[in-house]
Amino acid sequence: MTDGAVTAAHVLVAADKFKGSLTAVQVAERVTAGLRRVVPGLEVETLPVADGGDGTVAAAVAAGFERREVRVTGPLGEQLTAAFALRGTTAVVEMAEASGLQHLPAGVFAPLTATTYGVGELLHAALDAGARTIVFGVGGSATTDGGAGMLAALGAKFLDADGKPVGPGGEGLRDLATADLSGLDPRLAEVSVTLASDVDNPLTGPKGAPAVFGPQKGASPEDVATLDAALAHYAEVLEKAIGPKAAEYAVAPGAGGAGGIGYGALVGLGASFRPGIELMLEILGFNEALSRATLVITGEGSLDEQTLHGKAPAGVAAAARAADIEVVAVCGRLALPPEALGHAGIRRAYPLTELEPDRARCIAEAGPLLERVAETIARDFLS
């Protein structure tokens, strides 16, 4: 038995997706298979996790929520099928299901015109299904419209000087003359909405949604400037409509999440903000699963500086460390030094690139490689 090995092992696999190669559920399956190849009959409990971004609904369904599907408007205005998760009167709604980058054709971006209208339709469906508590996960968006599309789908009006609805996306907000939130679905006043996000950026400015996240959505420097000005104008018009709290929300943590949809949620849905992984671990029943564990395996596609700022592995590791349970991580690539991992509460990380340095091959063969990595973890910690 190596240093750090545990006895009467009960392993909890609580990893996020490997974006572009494996879902969180598939990661858990592959890790379990590799562990049991070395330690037959090993007790392994899987709890796929997410931080509010894409994969959040899948994690909720894996934890026992019911998957509900509905037709909604995609980011380019097309019709698509999106899902939310429901258990009792609690719904988990993931904005990326309706307006995520994954819905754009390969190589196609629409930073100025992509809309969150479908997110509002998804929220409406959750209300129709009886939801009274909504966990609203935001991240992975193709949009930068400040949530205006979402609010319009729920009954708000955003009109230009001629009294006509403004165009879709952040660019359309340049023409905004009046905003009216009085027509919002009245059920929203009776529902608790919690904004789950892994970012705490404000709406605009150097750390705002357009500047920080716009380039990931295909925005040029000129587009970023256009969107930043449009969102600032949007907040000014909303301030005239609903008062000073609109300006306060614009600089609140989470306002810049998912192209500013966080702002729309704070202003129009009465949402409160919580770090996504903290909220999701609570919803998924992580602490109960953790109480049975002697070793935790977490991870995501890339363990890097971003991981340390609210991503799923950092949240899992922090909770496990508080319970004095050892944590190791699996990942596609590792871009953190050992001291940073240790500070985050991760004993050791196992990147797939150590087995297959070629990035394309590593992604293509992520499943079998992950099983081999899990075999190594079993030998290092469980045998």
Side-chain angles (χ1 to χ4, degrees):
M1 183 179 284
T2 61
D3 179 45
V6 292
T7 56
H10 183 112
V11 179
L12 173 61
V13 182
D16 202 344
K17 64 189 174 299
F18 281 28
K19 197 165 187 174
S21 56
L22 298 170
T23 66
V25 172
Q26 291 170 329
V27 169
E29 291 171 346
R30 294 288 190 163
V31 170
T32 300
L35 293 172
R36 286 182 174 156
R37 197 168 293 133
V38 175
V39 186
L42 177 69
E43 285 192 60
V44 182
E45 186 171 356
T46 62
L47 190 75
V49 296
D51 53 24
D54 47 322
T56 294
V57 164
V61 170
F65 280 67
E66 178 190 353
R67 179 182 171 90
R68 295 285 188 95
E69 293 187 346
V70 62
R71 296 291 285 177
V72 301
T73 304
L76 303 182
E78 76 286 17
Q79 287 292 297
L80 54 83
T81 299
F84 65 94
L86 186 71
R87 183 166 65 191
T89 58
T90 297
V92 175
V93 177
E94 173 190 326
M95 76 85 58
E97 276 283 321
S99 302
L101 280 167
Q102 74 266 27
H103 294 306
L104 299 181
V108 174
F109 293 97
L112 298 176
T113 57
T115 178
T116 57
Y117 195 90
V119 182
E121 294 174 317
L122 200 54
L123 287 164
H124 192 278
L127 292 172
D128 286 347
R132 290 297 172 262
T133 299
I134 296 177
V135 176
F136 185 33
V138 304
S141 72
T143 56
T144 310
D145 74 350
M150 170 188 71
L151 295 178
L154 289 166
K157 293 181 180 178
F158 300 101
L159 308 176
D160 63 18
D162 296 323
K164 297 177 181 177
V166 298
E171 184 178 48
L173 296 174
R174 295 187 301 179
D175 302 322
L176 184 62
T178 59
D180 181 0
L181 304 188
S182 64
L184 281 171
D185 193 313
R187 293 176 295 180
L188 291 169
E190 304 164 3
V191 171
S192 169
V193 180
T194 305
L195 178 65
S197 175
D198 66 352
V199 303
D200 58 4
N201 303 64
L203 181 63
T204 59
K207 295 184 179 179
V212 177
F213 306 111
Q216 301 170 9
K217 306 169 192 186
S220 67
E222 294 76 17
D223 293 337
V224 168
T226 295
L227 291 166
D228 197 70
L231 290 181
H233 175 63
Y234 171 54
E236 289 171 2
V237 174
L238 277 170
E239 187 176 3
K240 294 175 186 174
I242 66 171
K245 65 180 180 180
E248 295 167 11
Y249 285 137
V251 295
I261 200 171
Y263 177 68
L266 294 170
V267 166
L269 307 184
S272 57
F273 170 78
R274 281 184 66 186
I277 185 58
E278 175 187 298
L279 179 57
M280 286 306 298
L281 290 182
E282 189 176 294
I283 288 292
L284 298 174
F286 178 77
N287 283 340
E288 184 181 341
L290 184 63
S291 69
R292 296 185 286 270
T294 55
L295 176 70
V296 174
I297 300 175
T298 189
E300 64 179 346
S302 178
L303 281 182
D304 52 32
E305 191 63 31
Q306 271 194 309
T307 302
L308 306 178
H309 299 284
K311 292 289 188 179
V316 168
R321 179 169 57 181
D324 200 27
I325 297 171
E326 194 144 61
V327 180
V328 297
V330 293
C331 57
R333 62 183 287 271
L334 176 62
L336 290 173
E339 56 269 26
L341 289 171
H343 186 70
I346 297 172
R347 168 74 178 275
R348 184 174 169 186
Y350 294 76
L352 303 190
T353 50
E354 279 191 0
L355 299 178
E356 178 49 75
D358 182 85
R359 184 175 181 275
R361 198 173 299 145
C362 190
I363 291 173
E365 300 174 7
L369 289 170
L370 189 54
E371 289 191 27
R372 288 172 57 191
V373 160
E375 291 175 25
T376 302
I377 293 173
R379 285 190 290 268
D380 287 349
F381 286 88
L382 301 169
S383 61

